[in-house]
Amino acid sequence: ENGLDYEACLVAQCDALVDALTRQKAKLLTKVTKEREHKLKVVWDQINHCTLKLRQSTGLMEYCLEVIKENDPSGFLQISDALIKRVQVSQEQWVKGALEPKVSAEFDLTLDSEPLLQSIHQLDFIQMKCRVPVTVPPVPLLQLEKCCTRNNSVTLAWRMPPLSHNPVEGYILELDDGDGGQFREVYVGKETLCTIDGLHFNSTYNARVKAFNSSGVGPYSKTVILQTSDVAWFTFDPSSAHRDIVLSNDNQTATCNSYDDRVVLGTAAFSKGVHYWELHVDRYDNHPDPAFGIARINVVKDMMLGKDDKAWAMYVDNNRSWFMHCNSHTNRTEGGVSKGATVGVLLDLNKHSLTFYINGQQQGPPAFENVEGVFMPALSLNRNVQVTLHTGLEVP
């Protein structure tokens, strides 16, 4: 009797899973139907548009034929110019892509059923598994095809080997310091995918992972080697910018609502390597003094860059420039900026120096030396200036 009751419970549980899958299938089919109806509507709208254009063109052709039959040369000459323009306009409207499909015939829908299928295959009785002695998990397998780097972040993925029956309660991901140092824990949890941000640019990191359960910690996986980018791609950071800063163009263009100088930082943080970026002056009115350089994350945001001890900058007008740190002005150099100018910033943390360029030419001597620590690209400007950031550039 107890066995029959358990069989009935098992059937009810499986039927509930089947019902849930059936309901989900109905929802997915509804999405497919809506996508098909949307595509059909776009196609019919385009057909109706082309039909209307065809009627207009047919009417114009018939009108042209009647005009050609005109026996009076002077009458023909009076309307010929206007008729030629109408024909040209009609032709231009057709060649502007009117006949290109407005929607793809393919469905941009992909159903990933593999995780669910794996869960179904792993469905078993927990009580029966508990009778088997639990041992530490085997070595996880790093999925190299899914491991990647972007800028100064790395993404790692792993999985357990097939036919592994030992339960896994979580994973421990370890990473070295990018300079051959000791490993340290960077993630502990149940996920099998992890992204680590804020690493050094142009550095080689070693990573490894191990699994654990109630019996203990399993062995390490093989070590995977990842190389972070040597060229930084970044934008202006809206979360750390002064509230008067206005960002646009995917946070690559900056201007300001205030006549006072306001500071905005970049999204990258540099502590080693050589980095170069440029700022193009899109607008320059009334000879303001924008300042370009680097700063700590806690730099003061409501005054010109370089006035406090958290920033190193070059401020420049239309005739000359100065270097500034702790409100100390040094190295006045002739040559300024105007609309269309490009300001380059070269941060060499191998030599601990900061150098500036205007339109490809070095502006004065190296601006600062003995700069050490973690720095972020920085800019201060007011409403008379607009600049656009260009990154991912090779060092000049």
Side-chain angles (χ1 to χ4, degrees):
E1 292 177 357
N2 192 31
L4 293 176
D5 290 342
Y6 199 84
E7 286 182 5
C9 180
L10 173 63
V11 170
Q13 287 180 305
C14 292
D15 287 346
L17 293 175
V18 173
D19 290 342
L21 185 60
T22 302
R23 290 193 297 270
Q24 191 64 25
K25 180 179 71 173
K27 292 181 180 179
L28 295 175
L29 288 173
T30 300
K31 290 183 179 180
V32 173
T33 301
K34 290 183 178 180
E35 179 70 10
R36 182 174 65 248
E37 291 175 351
H38 168 70
K39 289 178 178 290
L40 288 174
K41 182 180 182 302
V42 174
V43 171
W44 279 114
D45 288 344
Q46 187 175 9
I47 289 175
N48 293 333
H49 174 73
C50 291
T51 302
L52 176 61
K53 296 299 298 181
L54 180 60
R55 290 174 181 171
Q56 293 175 348
S57 299
T58 303
L60 180 60
M61 290 175 60
E62 293 175 350
Y63 177 66
C64 291
L65 291 174
E66 292 299 324
V67 171
I68 291 174
K69 296 177 183 179
E70 175 63 51
N71 294 324
D72 182 9
S74 61
F76 178 80
L77 292 175
Q78 288 178 352
I79 63 173
S80 61
D81 287 342
L83 184 59
I84 290 173
K85 290 181 180 179
R86 286 184 59 184
V87 172
Q88 289 176 339
V89 170
S90 178
Q91 181 183 9
E92 290 174 356
Q93 291 176 345
W94 275 110
V95 300
K96 287 182 178 179
L99 298 179
E100 296 179 1
K102 299 297 183 182
V103 67
S104 170
E106 302 296 329
F107 274 67
D108 298 327
L109 301 174
T110 302
L111 180 63
D112 183 10
S113 60
E114 185 63 26
L116 178 58
L117 190 59
Q118 290 181 359
S119 298
I120 293 175
H121 289 160
Q122 294 172 0
L123 187 63
D124 204 343
F125 299 104
I126 298 177
Q127 293 87 339
M128 292 182 65
K129 286 189 174 183
C130 290
R131 296 174 186 173
V132 180
V134 177
T135 59
V136 297
V139 178
L141 302 177
L142 281 163
Q143 297 181 275
L144 299 181
E145 69 279 3
K146 295 183 179 180
C147 297
C148 62
T149 62
R150 184 179 185 276
N151 267 349
N152 61 335
S153 67
V154 299
T155 298
L156 296 120
W158 59 89
R159 62 179 177 84
M160 294 306 294
L163 305 178
S164 173
H165 299 294
N166 292 338
V168 175
E169 296 179 8
Y171 302 92
I172 300 174
L173 177 64
E174 296 183 350
L175 204 69
D176 70 359
D177 61 358
D179 198 22
Q182 294 183 345
F183 283 90
R184 57 186 174 87
E185 291 185 4
V186 294
Y187 171 76
V188 178
K190 297 182 179 180
E191 300 296 330
T192 58
L193 181 74
C194 181
T195 297
I196 304 99
D197 299 313
L199 302 177
H200 297 304
F201 286 94
N202 193 24
S203 298
T204 301
Y205 285 88
N206 296 289
R208 63 188 184 185
V209 64
K210 56 186 178 181
F212 64 87
N213 59 20
S214 58
S215 295
V217 181
Y220 286 108
S221 67
K222 291 184 177 180
T223 300
V224 63
I225 300 175
L226 297 165
Q227 176 73 34
T228 55
S229 174
D230 59 344
V231 177
W233 298 82
F234 59 90
T235 63
F236 291 121
D237 183 11
S239 64
S240 64
H242 191 279
R243 61 181 179 272
D244 291 335
I245 293 291
V246 179
L247 301 180
S248 59
N249 186 26
D250 294 329
N251 295 331
Q252 302 219 26
T253 299
T255 186
C256 181
N257 284 330
S258 173
Y259 284 109
D260 296 320
D261 293 304
R262 301 296 188 233
V263 171
V264 57
L265 302 177
T267 55
F270 304 120
S271 58
K272 61 185 295 188
V274 182
H275 309 282
Y276 178 74
W277 61 96
E278 292 181 345
L279 301 109
H280 184 268
V281 181
D282 303 325
R283 179 168 56 82
Y284 188 84
D285 303 329
N286 301 323
H287 310 302
D289 298 331
F292 310 85
I294 57 175
R296 311 287 191 194
I297 192 169
N298 57 342
V299 64
V300 177
K301 306 286 190 354
D302 59 357
M303 60 185 181
M304 181 182 289
L305 192 70
K307 282 187 174 290
D308 67 351
D309 63 346
K310 302 296 191 301
W312 294 255
M314 174 187 74
Y315 72 95
V316 56
D317 60 18
N318 61 318
N319 291 317
R320 59 193 68 84
S321 66
W322 295 261
F323 302 146
M324 184 164 61
H325 173 62
C326 290
N327 203 24
S328 174
H329 310 248
T330 60
N331 294 97
R332 168 176 164 169
T333 304
E334 295 301 317
V337 297
S338 59
K339 179 180 178 182
T342 298
V343 177
V345 182
L346 175 61
L347 175 62
D348 188 341
L349 291 173
N350 296 336
K351 299 180 180 179
H352 307 288
S353 65
L354 180 65
T355 306
F356 295 97
Y357 297 82
I358 294 181
N359 295 328
Q361 300 297 319
Q362 182 172 326
Q363 185 74 356
F368 301 99
E369 297 178 330
N370 301 320
V371 289
E372 295 185 0
V374 179
F375 303 98
M376 307 180 75
L379 164 74
S380 70
L381 73 169
N382 61 26
R383 67 183 305 165
N384 292 317
V385 188
Q386 176 178 299
V387 301
T388 296
L389 176 66
H390 296 279
T391 62
L393 306 176
E394 297 292 338
V395 176

